Amino acid sequence: MDSARRPCDHPAVRDRWPWLVFGVLGAGLAVRFVGLGDAVWWHDEVFTRVFATGHAPAQWFSEVYGKGPVPAAELLRFQRLDPGLGLSDTVLGLARNEPQNPPLYYLLAHLWMRLFGDGVVALRALSAVFGVGTVAAGAWWAHEAFRDRRTTLLAALGLSLSPVLVLFSQEARAYSLWTLLLAASCAALLRAWRAGGRAWWAYGALTTLALYTSLSHAGVIGAQVLWVVWQARGRPTRPALTAAGTLAGCAVLYAPWGWMVLDHWEAMRASTAWTREIVVPRAELLGTFALNLSRPVVDLGAEPAGWGWLPVGLGAA
């Protein structure tokens, strides 16, 4: 027996570990569809359904707020599909009220509800489907980065069991779609950098779709630009110039919504005013940040705790 052989290289382990990985991976994917109707239908999900169905928040506010107790049926009326409202109403509702939320997810949610109904479980199931796609996109990213089957499988396993990604897969918000497109765009960039050709079209399309899902993807593009500069050693190589041209094309394709944001800038400021008005104590902010770093791997609970060791000056608001 070779004493240098690692335990994982034993034939019995080598033959069985892929089946174990696939079994756990399957469970991680399946759990995204379990209990979709059990969690509380929270504030942001209500607004998802209002915008996706094409109802204007101004109408909702005027007819619901300030009138005392309102029957549930009256509240749900603005979260149901209306034959007189279509995709254009969804786009205009977002542009006029919350332009910081690009329309792609809401348009897909509208079409999904047309096919499968506008109930809570039906709408959350769309995010679960995107969650499964996120695992596949993440596996593709790992494959392009490491070119190793075992690493790809382990990456897919980790993504399938990530508590925060499971959470994203079970709520009617755009996070699940954005994580899918984020991983896919990064994988496409690695593929395009190595293979060139039409792979750049895939990178450009996925990046544009990601921008139409979340403005936060601009930060991801910034990180990708730094990676390109590092790979090119700061020189105008052909791949670097192609990457720059592809991103310029993405900017052109995103320009219509960018104009919407600028044209409704005051609406965006009003919608996000709470982020400037709420003051979070520094210790609580640091604790929450540290806790969120762990959540993609393990969920330690909803409230940060045990931060009494922070210096008094650091913990002050």
Side-chain angles (χ1 to χ4, degrees):
M1 179 177 178
D2 186 359
S3 59
R5 176 180 288 175
R6 295 174 298 175
C8 62
D9 288 333
H10 191 279
V13 176
R14 187 173 61 248
D15 293 341
R16 294 174 183 174
W17 83 266
W19 296 106
L20 176 62
V21 170
F22 281 122
V24 178
L25 176 61
L29 296 177
V31 76
R32 285 161 166 75
F33 294 91
V34 175
L36 289 177
D38 295 342
V40 172
W41 184 250
W42 70 296
H43 173 276
D44 283 10
E45 290 181 296
V46 170
F47 274 88
T48 291
R49 199 155 58 162
V50 169
F51 282 114
T53 54
H55 290 95
Q59 180 187 13
W60 181 29
F61 293 160
S62 65
E63 295 191 23
V64 171
Y65 285 96
K67 294 184 178 181
V70 178
E74 182 68 12
L75 292 175
L76 290 174
R77 182 166 66 88
F78 297 97
Q79 301 178 53
R80 301 295 189 191
L81 288 171
D82 186 328
L85 300 174
L87 296 175
S88 60
D89 297 289
T90 295
V91 173
L92 292 176
L94 288 166
R96 293 168 178 170
N97 296 276
E98 294 197 1
Q100 74 275 13
N101 289 318
L104 179 59
Y105 167 75
Y106 298 89
L107 292 175
L108 294 176
H110 183 102
L111 295 174
W112 179 271
M113 289 189 289
R114 291 287 181 189
L115 291 174
F116 302 103
D118 53 16
V120 170
V121 174
L123 188 52
R124 283 176 171 171
L126 176 62
S127 294
V129 171
F130 291 145
V132 173
T134 298
V135 176
W140 178 28
W141 188 2
H143 171 72
E144 295 294 343
F146 300 102
R147 313 295 291 178
D148 177 75
R149 185 181 66 175
R150 180 172 297 187
T151 303
T152 299
L153 284 175
L154 291 177
L157 178 63
L159 292 170
S160 70
L161 298 177
S162 168
V164 72
L165 291 183
V166 172
L167 175 62
F168 287 169
S169 299
Q170 293 192 321
E171 63 178 22
R173 298 295 289 163
Y175 307 124
S176 188
L177 175 59
W178 180 45
T179 52
L180 187 166
L181 293 171
L182 186 158
S185 71
C186 290
L189 175 59
L190 295 178
R191 176 70 178 174
W193 189 264
R194 183 175 61 255
R198 295 182 178 180
W200 285 110
W201 289 93
Y203 168 66
L206 289 166
T207 299
T208 302
L209 292 175
L211 282 171
Y212 271 99
T213 303
S214 174
L215 288 178
S216 297
H217 197 74
V220 177
I221 293 175
Q224 291 175 343
V225 168
L226 292 177
W227 181 85
V228 167
V229 171
W230 177 68
Q231 288 291 316
R233 301 295 189 269
R235 299 191 300 270
T237 63
R238 182 173 181 177
L241 292 175
T242 305
T246 301
L247 290 176
C250 295
V252 171
L253 292 174
Y254 188 73
W257 192 257
W259 180 85
M260 286 286 193
V261 173
L262 293 176
D263 193 45
H264 298 89
W265 186 261
E266 290 304 319
M268 186 178 73
R269 284 181 56 84
S271 178
T272 59
W274 63 272
T275 62
R276 301 184 295 273
E277 296 171 354
I278 297 178
V279 178
V280 180
R282 192 175 302 166
E284 182 179 340
L285 186 64
L286 292 174
T288 301
F289 176 73
L291 189 63
N292 284 336
L293 289 178
S294 73
R295 281 176 171 153
V297 181
V298 60
D299 191 352
L300 299 178
E303 297 295 333
W307 291 89
W309 53 267
L310 285 173
V312 175
L314 186 61

PDB file of all heavy atoms in Angstrom, residues 198-215:
ATOM      1  N   ARG A 198     -17.272  34.657 -30.501  1.00  0.00           N
ATOM      2  CA  ARG A 198     -18.660  34.902 -30.104  1.00  0.00           C
ATOM      3  C   ARG A 198     -18.867  34.873 -28.598  1.00  0.00           C
ATOM      4  O   ARG A 198     -19.926  35.298 -28.120  1.00  0.00           O
ATOM      5  CB  ARG A 198     -19.572  33.880 -30.769  1.00  0.00           C
ATOM      6  CG  ARG A 198     -19.614  33.989 -32.294  1.00  0.00           C
ATOM      7  CD  ARG A 198     -20.563  32.983 -32.892  1.00  0.00           C
ATOM      8  NE  ARG A 198     -20.636  33.119 -34.342  1.00  0.00           N
ATOM      9  CZ  ARG A 198     -21.392  32.356 -35.116  1.00  0.00           C
ATOM     10  NH1 ARG A 198     -22.131  31.387 -34.564  1.00  0.00           N
ATOM     11  NH2 ARG A 198     -21.402  32.545 -36.423  1.00  0.00           N
ATOM     12  N   ALA A 199     -17.890  34.382 -27.867  1.00  0.00           N
ATOM     13  CA  ALA A 199     -18.025  34.364 -26.407  1.00  0.00           C
ATOM     14  C   ALA A 199     -18.172  35.777 -25.848  1.00  0.00           C
ATOM     15  O   ALA A 199     -18.814  35.978 -24.809  1.00  0.00           O
ATOM     16  CB  ALA A 199     -16.813  33.672 -25.772  1.00  0.00           C
ATOM     17  N   TRP A 200     -17.609  36.757 -26.546  1.00  0.00           N
ATOM     18  CA  TRP A 200     -17.766  38.137 -26.094  1.00  0.00           C
ATOM     19  C   TRP A 200     -19.212  38.600 -26.218  1.00  0.00           C
ATOM     20  O   TRP A 200     -19.686  39.412 -25.422  1.00  0.00           O
ATOM     21  CB  TRP A 200     -16.856  39.072 -26.899  1.00  0.00           C
ATOM     22  CG  TRP A 200     -15.417  38.955 -26.505  1.00  0.00           C
ATOM     23  CD1 TRP A 200     -14.391  38.428 -27.230  1.00  0.00           C
ATOM     24  CD2 TRP A 200     -14.836  39.381 -25.259  1.00  0.00           C
ATOM     25  NE1 TRP A 200     -13.211  38.484 -26.530  1.00  0.00           N
ATOM     26  CE2 TRP A 200     -13.450  39.069 -25.318  1.00  0.00           C
ATOM     27  CE3 TRP A 200     -15.343  39.987 -24.113  1.00  0.00           C
ATOM     28  CZ2 TRP A 200     -12.582  39.351 -24.269  1.00  0.00           C
ATOM     29  CZ3 TRP A 200     -14.478  40.272 -23.064  1.00  0.00           C
ATOM     30  CH2 TRP A 200     -13.120  39.948 -23.151  1.00  0.00           C
ATOM     31  N   TRP A 201     -19.938  38.073 -27.225  1.00  0.00           N
ATOM     32  CA  TRP A 201     -21.351  38.415 -27.350  1.00  0.00           C
ATOM     33  C   TRP A 201     -22.135  37.895 -26.159  1.00  0.00           C
ATOM     34  O   TRP A 201     -23.033  38.576 -25.645  1.00  0.00           O
ATOM     35  CB  TRP A 201     -21.915  37.834 -28.645  1.00  0.00           C
ATOM     36  CG  TRP A 201     -21.413  38.510 -29.874  1.00  0.00           C
ATOM     37  CD1 TRP A 201     -20.329  38.147 -30.629  1.00  0.00           C
ATOM     38  CD2 TRP A 201     -21.944  39.679 -30.492  1.00  0.00           C
ATOM     39  NE1 TRP A 201     -20.149  39.013 -31.680  1.00  0.00           N
ATOM     40  CE2 TRP A 201     -21.143  39.965 -31.633  1.00  0.00           C
ATOM     41  CE3 TRP A 201     -23.022  40.518 -30.216  1.00  0.00           C
ATOM     42  CZ2 TRP A 201     -21.382  41.048 -32.472  1.00  0.00           C
ATOM     43  CZ3 TRP A 201     -23.265  41.599 -31.061  1.00  0.00           C
ATOM     44  CH2 TRP A 201     -22.454  41.857 -32.162  1.00  0.00           C
ATOM     45  N   ALA A 202     -21.786  36.694 -25.712  1.00  0.00           N
ATOM     46  CA  ALA A 202     -22.463  36.122 -24.539  1.00  0.00           C
ATOM     47  C   ALA A 202     -22.184  36.963 -23.303  1.00  0.00           C
ATOM     48  O   ALA A 202     -23.097  37.259 -22.509  1.00  0.00           O
ATOM     49  CB  ALA A 202     -22.002  34.680 -24.315  1.00  0.00           C
ATOM     50  N   TYR A 203     -20.927  37.379 -23.138  1.00  0.00           N
ATOM     51  CA  TYR A 203     -20.588  38.225 -21.993  1.00  0.00           C
ATOM     52  C   TYR A 203     -21.348  39.546 -22.040  1.00  0.00           C
ATOM     53  O   TYR A 203     -21.905  40.006 -21.031  1.00  0.00           O
ATOM     54  CB  TYR A 203     -19.083  38.482 -21.950  1.00  0.00           C
ATOM     55  CG  TYR A 203     -18.690  39.563 -20.971  1.00  0.00           C
ATOM     56  CD1 TYR A 203     -18.865  39.373 -19.604  1.00  0.00           C
ATOM     57  CD2 TYR A 203     -18.172  40.780 -21.408  1.00  0.00           C
ATOM     58  CE1 TYR A 203     -18.519  40.367 -18.699  1.00  0.00           C
ATOM     59  CE2 TYR A 203     -17.817  41.775 -20.519  1.00  0.00           C
ATOM     60  CZ  TYR A 203     -18.004  41.569 -19.163  1.00  0.00           C
ATOM     61  OH  TYR A 203     -17.675  42.552 -18.259  1.00  0.00           O
ATOM     62  N   GLY A 204     -21.410  40.165 -23.212  1.00  0.00           N
ATOM     63  CA  GLY A 204     -22.121  41.438 -23.348  1.00  0.00           C
ATOM     64  C   GLY A 204     -23.606  41.294 -23.063  1.00  0.00           C
ATOM     65  O   GLY A 204     -24.209  42.129 -22.374  1.00  0.00           O
ATOM     66  N   ALA A 205     -24.220  40.221 -23.572  1.00  0.00           N
ATOM     67  CA  ALA A 205     -25.657  40.026 -23.358  1.00  0.00           C
ATOM     68  C   ALA A 205     -25.959  39.782 -21.884  1.00  0.00           C
ATOM     69  O   ALA A 205     -26.901  40.371 -21.327  1.00  0.00           O
ATOM     70  CB  ALA A 205     -26.137  38.838 -24.195  1.00  0.00           C
ATOM     71  N   LEU A 206     -25.167  38.939 -21.235  1.00  0.00           N
ATOM     72  CA  LEU A 206     -25.407  38.628 -19.816  1.00  0.00           C
ATOM     73  C   LEU A 206     -25.164  39.857 -18.943  1.00  0.00           C
ATOM     74  O   LEU A 206     -25.893  40.089 -17.964  1.00  0.00           O
ATOM     75  CB  LEU A 206     -24.502  37.474 -19.378  1.00  0.00           C
ATOM     76  CG  LEU A 206     -24.872  36.105 -19.967  1.00  0.00           C
ATOM     77  CD1 LEU A 206     -23.734  35.108 -19.756  1.00  0.00           C
ATOM     78  CD2 LEU A 206     -26.155  35.585 -19.317  1.00  0.00           C
ATOM     79  N   THR A 207     -24.161  40.649 -19.270  1.00  0.00           N
ATOM     80  CA  THR A 207     -23.881  41.862 -18.497  1.00  0.00           C
ATOM     81  C   THR A 207     -25.011  42.879 -18.638  1.00  0.00           C
ATOM     82  O   THR A 207     -25.432  43.511 -17.657  1.00  0.00           O
ATOM     83  CB  THR A 207     -22.553  42.482 -18.944  1.00  0.00           C
ATOM     84  OG1 THR A 207     -21.488  41.549 -18.717  1.00  0.00           O
ATOM     85  CG2 THR A 207     -22.260  43.768 -18.186  1.00  0.00           C
ATOM     86  N   THR A 208     -25.530  43.018 -19.847  1.00  0.00           N
ATOM     87  CA  THR A 208     -26.644  43.939 -20.063  1.00  0.00           C
ATOM     88  C   THR A 208     -27.880  43.493 -19.298  1.00  0.00           C
ATOM     89  O   THR A 208     -28.565  44.303 -18.650  1.00  0.00           O
ATOM     90  CB  THR A 208     -26.963  44.047 -21.562  1.00  0.00           C
ATOM     91  OG1 THR A 208     -25.799  44.489 -22.272  1.00  0.00           O
ATOM     92  CG2 THR A 208     -28.098  45.029 -21.798  1.00  0.00           C
ATOM     93  N   LEU A 209     -28.177  42.196 -19.350  1.00  0.00           N
ATOM     94  CA  LEU A 209     -29.320  41.668 -18.608  1.00  0.00           C
ATOM     95  C   LEU A 209     -29.144  41.878 -17.106  1.00  0.00           C
ATOM     96  O   LEU A 209     -30.104  42.187 -16.393  1.00  0.00           O
ATOM     97  CB  LEU A 209     -29.508  40.184 -18.918  1.00  0.00           C
ATOM     98  CG  LEU A 209     -29.966  39.850 -20.347  1.00  0.00           C
ATOM     99  CD1 LEU A 209     -29.985  38.343 -20.553  1.00  0.00           C
ATOM    100  CD2 LEU A 209     -31.343  40.441 -20.626  1.00  0.00           C
ATOM    101  N   ALA A 210     -27.910  41.707 -16.624  1.00  0.00           N
ATOM    102  CA  ALA A 210     -27.653  41.914 -15.198  1.00  0.00           C
ATOM    103  C   ALA A 210     -27.878  43.374 -14.808  1.00  0.00           C
ATOM    104  O   ALA A 210     -28.422  43.666 -13.733  1.00  0.00           O
ATOM    105  CB  ALA A 210     -26.229  41.483 -14.856  1.00  0.00           C
ATOM    106  N   LEU A 211     -27.480  44.300 -15.667  1.00  0.00           N
ATOM    107  CA  LEU A 211     -27.712  45.719 -15.389  1.00  0.00           C
ATOM    108  C   LEU A 211     -29.200  46.042 -15.377  1.00  0.00           C
ATOM    109  O   LEU A 211     -29.654  46.878 -14.587  1.00  0.00           O
ATOM    110  CB  LEU A 211     -27.009  46.575 -16.437  1.00  0.00           C
ATOM    111  CG  LEU A 211     -25.499  46.752 -16.284  1.00  0.00           C
ATOM    112  CD1 LEU A 211     -24.925  47.436 -17.508  1.00  0.00           C
ATOM    113  CD2 LEU A 211     -25.165  47.536 -15.020  1.00  0.00           C
ATOM    114  N   TYR A 212     -29.963  45.382 -16.242  1.00  0.00           N
ATOM    115  CA  TYR A 212     -31.401  45.591 -16.264  1.00  0.00           C
ATOM    116  C   TYR A 212     -32.110  44.851 -15.125  1.00  0.00           C
ATOM    117  O   TYR A 212     -33.337  44.925 -15.016  1.00  0.00           O
ATOM    118  CB  TYR A 212     -31.985  45.160 -17.611  1.00  0.00           C
ATOM    119  CG  TYR A 212     -31.990  46.265 -18.632  1.00  0.00           C
ATOM    120  CD1 TYR A 212     -30.997  46.352 -19.601  1.00  0.00           C
ATOM    121  CD2 TYR A 212     -32.984  47.239 -18.613  1.00  0.00           C
ATOM    122  CE1 TYR A 212     -30.999  47.379 -20.531  1.00  0.00           C
ATOM    123  CE2 TYR A 212     -32.994  48.264 -19.537  1.00  0.00           C
ATOM    124  CZ  TYR A 212     -32.005  48.337 -20.498  1.00  0.00           C
ATOM    125  OH  TYR A 212     -32.006  49.371 -21.421  1.00  0.00           O
ATOM    126  N   THR A 213     -31.329  44.164 -14.294  1.00  0.00           N
ATOM    127  CA  THR A 213     -31.879  43.503 -13.106  1.00  0.00           C
ATOM    128  C   THR A 213     -31.526  44.253 -11.842  1.00  0.00           C
ATOM    129  O   THR A 213     -32.344  44.379 -10.931  1.00  0.00           O
ATOM    130  CB  THR A 213     -31.355  42.057 -13.004  1.00  0.00           C
ATOM    131  OG1 THR A 213     -31.692  41.338 -14.197  1.00  0.00           O
ATOM    132  CG2 THR A 213     -31.947  41.335 -11.806  1.00  0.00           C
ATOM    133  N   SER A 214     -30.306  44.771 -11.764  1.00  0.00           N
ATOM    134  CA  SER A 214     -29.872  45.479 -10.560  1.00  0.00           C
ATOM    135  C   SER A 214     -28.811  46.512 -10.905  1.00  0.00           C
ATOM    136  O   SER A 214     -27.820  46.188 -11.589  1.00  0.00           O
ATOM    137  CB  SER A 214     -29.311  44.487  -9.536  1.00  0.00           C
ATOM    138  OG  SER A 214     -28.759  45.162  -8.427  1.00  0.00           O
ATOM    139  N   LEU A 215     -28.985  47.729 -10.402  1.00  0.00           N
ATOM    140  CA  LEU A 215     -27.964  48.764 -10.583  1.00  0.00           C
ATOM    141  C   LEU A 215     -26.674  48.398  -9.878  1.00  0.00           C
ATOM    142  O   LEU A 215     -25.601  48.876 -10.235  1.00  0.00           O
ATOM    143  CB  LEU A 215     -28.485  50.102 -10.052  1.00  0.00           C
ATOM    144  CG  LEU A 215     -29.563  50.814 -10.866  1.00  0.00           C
ATOM    145  CD1 LEU A 215     -29.987  52.094 -10.161  1.00  0.00           C
ATOM    146  CD2 LEU A 215     -29.075  51.123 -12.266  1.00  0.00           C
TER     147      LEU A 215
END
